[in-house]
Amino acid sequence: MSAGVASNAAAVRPVPDLGKLPGETLITRRQLSEISSFALITLKVWAKNGRGPRITVVEGRPRYRVRDVREWMGAA
């Protein structure tokens, strides 16, 4: 196996299972995109316009609490 193939395989991350994570767990916008199937840009625009799940800012970066994502997805 070449080094390029190995690095690509390592980049694949599993999609978090919201049903198994504690409600206080924080996920990234990219993870939310993978879970919800909404594009990253859509989530960014929604956040700017006050839509989508509540954002928690950690060290200047947006994060989403699993409990807020569950609530948001249940309301949709």
Side-chain angles (χ1 to χ4, degrees):
M1 182 179 334
S2 72
V5 174
S7 64
N8 287 340
V12 176
R13 295 181 194 109
V15 176
D17 183 349
L18 290 181
K20 294 182 180 179
L21 293 172
E24 292 301 312
T25 301
L26 296 172
I27 61 173
T28 65
R29 185 173 280 153
R30 183 171 307 278
Q31 289 171 316
L32 178 58
S33 174
E34 292 169 358
I35 291 166
S36 67
S37 298
F38 288 110
L40 280 171
I41 190 66
T42 299
L43 296 171
K44 289 178 184 179
V45 170
W46 284 356
K48 187 175 182 178
N49 294 321
R51 294 182 58 195
R54 182 179 317 176
I55 295 174
T56 301
V57 178
V58 178
E59 295 183 6
R61 299 185 184 271
R63 298 292 185 259
Y64 301 88
R65 289 193 197 289
V66 167
R67 134 184 110 220
D68 295 331
V69 172
R70 285 183 192 142
E71 182 178 308
W72 172 70
M73 291 180 89

